[in-house]
Amino acid sequence: MVACNVDRFLAESIESILGQTFREFEFIIVDFGSTDKSRIIATNYAAKDSRIRVHGIPNCSLPEARNAGCFLAQGEYIAIADADDVSLPNRLLWEVEFMEKHPEVGVLGGAVEWIDATGRPLMTMQHPLAYREIQSALQTHSVLWQPTVLIRQAAFVVVGGYRAAFTVSHDYDLWLRIAEHFQIANLEQVVLKYRIHPFQVSLRKRTQQTLCKLAAQVSASSRRNGYTDPLNSVEEITSAVLAGLDVTDARQQSELASDCRDWIRNMCMAGEYSAALKAALEILQSDLKNVERWQIADLYLTVAQLYWRQSRPLTSVLNVAKAALTRPVVVGRPLKRLLRRAWGGAS
């Protein structure tokens, strides 16, 4: 578990690991530069439970912090836990039992229940289970929830761990590299409560996450085709780096818009409407010349929904009009259907 300024959720996350039915583990907590009470909370738990080892390191990137912990691990398996999520009691038991029976699997994940900042259940999410489906889906997106995974240490070591340049998509890059040597699998059971809130690293850095996702795909494609990985020596993934690898501005902008729309939906589902509105307005004010018109229109309709929630009907209607002007086909829809989409579904 890595932690940096997460004292709001840390105690519950630590207790969910200490409460596992599988008891034989070392619990490595890496604090990477907290300025709140996170380090104190972790240290207090370590004083009560000898399985916990707390390591403090200077502030660094998330993949660097994860590597600091993972390369200290002495067991056959490495379980990843995030400091704002809650592992269910049988998580480690189920995962270790599966890995013991399937030596061909290098990394195993499981289903999650999404919760909001207060712990309110939102929905259950599951990645593909069949090996072929996992392999196919992996080419376009991550097929594992990182805080659910159990990684075979041999698999982690053979690929060299996380790569720092991939910042908030370091997990996806790792799965792609492990998949070249081992199989990837998912449990059907829910093993984690995955917290959705505006302060998640991946959500605060959603643009960088999208760029790194595209970089991981380019990197994997080069290796599959027998070429040297073009990103082995890159220290930072930027739009310019991707352009140099033939990832066009159009593709970058389209992926950014799509990923942002997903993030906005997640925030709305978690009741974080202000964060969702801010994100939607930010992307609408950015360079959208290569984004498809339907994506832009959909963003305007989302903004309309969110303004309607704020009791700002005139601003809401204005954004519905912008959606219609952006994608003229909207004008031909029955008014009832348009209004339902604009604000009726915001409840």
Side-chain angles (χ1 to χ4, degrees), residues 276-293:
L277 179 58
K278 180 181 178 181
L281 292 174
E282 283 178 357
I283 193 168
L284 285 171
Q285 292 164 5
S286 64
D287 183 3
L288 299 175
K289 64 182 179 181
N290 291 311
V291 177
E292 293 188 41
R293 309 306 289 173

Side-chain angles (χ1 to χ4, degrees), residues 116-117 196-198 264 266-277 306:
D116 66 11
I196 302 295
H197 59 90
I264 291 167
N266 293 344
M267 287 298 100
C268 289
M269 181 174 57
E272 302 287 354
Y273 301 112
S274 295
L277 179 58
L306 294 168

Side-chain angles (χ1 to χ4, degrees), residues 24 44 140 304:
E24 300 300 318
N44 286 341
T140 58

Side-chain angles (χ1 to χ4, degrees), residues 171-228:
D171 54 337
Y172 181 39
D173 173 64
L174 182 64
W175 314 150
L176 285 165
R177 288 182 289 121
I178 288 179
E180 295 167 7
H181 304 273
F182 296 86
Q183 290 187 19
I184 292 177
N186 274 308
L187 293 176
E188 184 177 5
Q189 298 100 313
V190 172
V191 299
L192 182 90
K193 293 183 179 182
Y194 184 79
R195 201 180 303 272
I196 302 295
H197 59 90
F199 306 106
Q200 287 173 277
V201 173
S202 60
L203 300 183
R204 288 187 287 110
K205 299 182 178 180
R206 57 191 179 277
T207 296
Q208 188 63 24
Q209 184 176 47
T210 297
L211 296 180
C212 289
K213 177 188 75 172
L214 292 171
Q217 292 169 1
V218 170
S219 182
S221 177
S222 294
R223 295 192 301 271
R224 281 196 305 272
N225 292 319
Y227 299 113
T228 301

